[in-house]
Amino acid sequence: MAAIRIAVIDDHESVRLGLQAVCAAAGHRIVSSTAGVAEFLEIHIPVDVVVLDLSLGDGSSVSDNVRAVSQDGAAVLIHSIADRVNLVREALAAGAAGVIPKSSPAHDVVAAIETVAGGGPLTNVEWASAIEADRQFAVAQLGPRERDVLNLYASGLPLKDVAVELGIAPSTVKEYLNRIRAKYVEVGRPARTKLELLRRAVEDGILEDLPGATGDATPGA
């Protein structure tokens, strides 16, 4: 795997230094290491992954932090002590790609960084716990046909093949997908890309497990 450009945002210097050592040993580049989001944004260095502390000491909102650091397209990996599932859930709803506990072995942290850098979904116990903790988080009120469309499309079928499978026009499939995305936005769970739709389908039980396909990272259908 090519070297991943990583930013670490954590208000504990020891954590930042530890992550720098772990990532460097794996052949990846820490291009930014800051105690807060504002400092990271001021530096404005392109990165592939932001490893973000779940709860910074400056009182900032995790939702605002995730949105701010991901605005240039970086994947956000939440680094957490994993005992505040409400904040983890907020981070995921804001667009974080996953969560990794601070107690994880070094190789697990590196593997998580590599997964989200490659556009893959990161699902683990912490992710599942955040979803399970609030059943309303997993409700987007999709109708039966919308669930059918999401099931097929998120499983990896191209839009045209979904249309053939359901016996409807491709334009109708696109309308359903637009409607599905709008419903997820309404409940605070954006699904702009095919990969995000895949995550939502898994979270909501529409897909029982993750398909082998990595998904499409391009917004829209």
Side-chain angles (χ1 to χ4, degrees):
M1 173 176 284
I4 298 168
R5 299 168 300 175
I6 303 165
V8 178
I9 304 177
D10 196 295
D11 51 7
H12 291 88
E13 184 180 18
S14 59
V15 174
R16 299 200 306 272
L17 292 174
L19 285 171
Q20 285 180 6
V22 166
C23 293
H28 303 308
R29 296 171 52 209
I30 300 292
V31 298
S32 174
S33 177
T34 63
V37 169
E39 186 180 352
F40 165 74
L41 295 176
E42 286 177 6
I43 297 171
H44 201 70
I45 298 176
V47 298
D48 304 306
V49 176
V50 176
V51 181
L52 175 67
D53 187 8
L54 177 67
S55 182
L56 294 170
D58 58 9
S60 57
S61 157
V62 65
S63 297
D64 290 344
N65 289 343
V66 169
R67 295 188 186 101
V69 302
S70 63
Q71 60 187 351
D72 289 333
V76 181
L77 177 65
I78 296 297
H79 202 212
S80 166
I81 56 175
D83 65 347
R84 304 181 69 180
V85 293
N86 60 318
L87 292 183
V88 172
R89 191 168 60 248
E90 286 181 27
L92 294 173
V99 55
I100 189 75
K102 290 186 175 180
S103 59
S104 299
H107 62 83
D108 285 352
V109 176
V110 171
I113 290 171
E114 292 174 345
T115 295
V116 300
L122 181 64
T123 54
N124 51 22
V125 172
E126 290 71 33
W127 174 87
S129 296
I131 304 303
E132 190 69 23
D134 185 354
R135 278 297 181 184
Q136 290 306 307
F137 177 79
V139 176
Q141 301 298 334
L142 300 185
R145 180 59 92 180
E146 290 168 339
R147 292 175 69 89
D148 290 342
V149 169
L150 179 56
N151 185 356
L152 294 172
Y153 187 69
S155 295
L157 284 182
L159 187 148
K160 290 182 179 179
D161 289 351
V162 174
V164 171
E165 184 73 20
L166 296 177
I168 56 180
S171 59
T172 304
V173 173
K174 191 167 185 177
E175 288 177 7
Y176 276 120
L177 290 172
N178 289 339
R179 197 179 308 163
I180 290 166
R181 289 187 172 103
K183 287 187 175 183
Y184 278 119
V185 168
E186 286 176 1
V187 295
R189 300 164 61 201
R192 295 175 296 271
T193 68
K194 194 168 188 177
L195 178 57
E196 288 174 337
L197 283 171
L198 168 58
R199 288 201 192 101
R200 302 302 173 243
V202 173
E203 291 166 359
D204 290 358
I206 294 169
L207 287 177
E208 293 186 359
D209 51 23
L210 296 174
T214 57
D216 176 0
T218 303

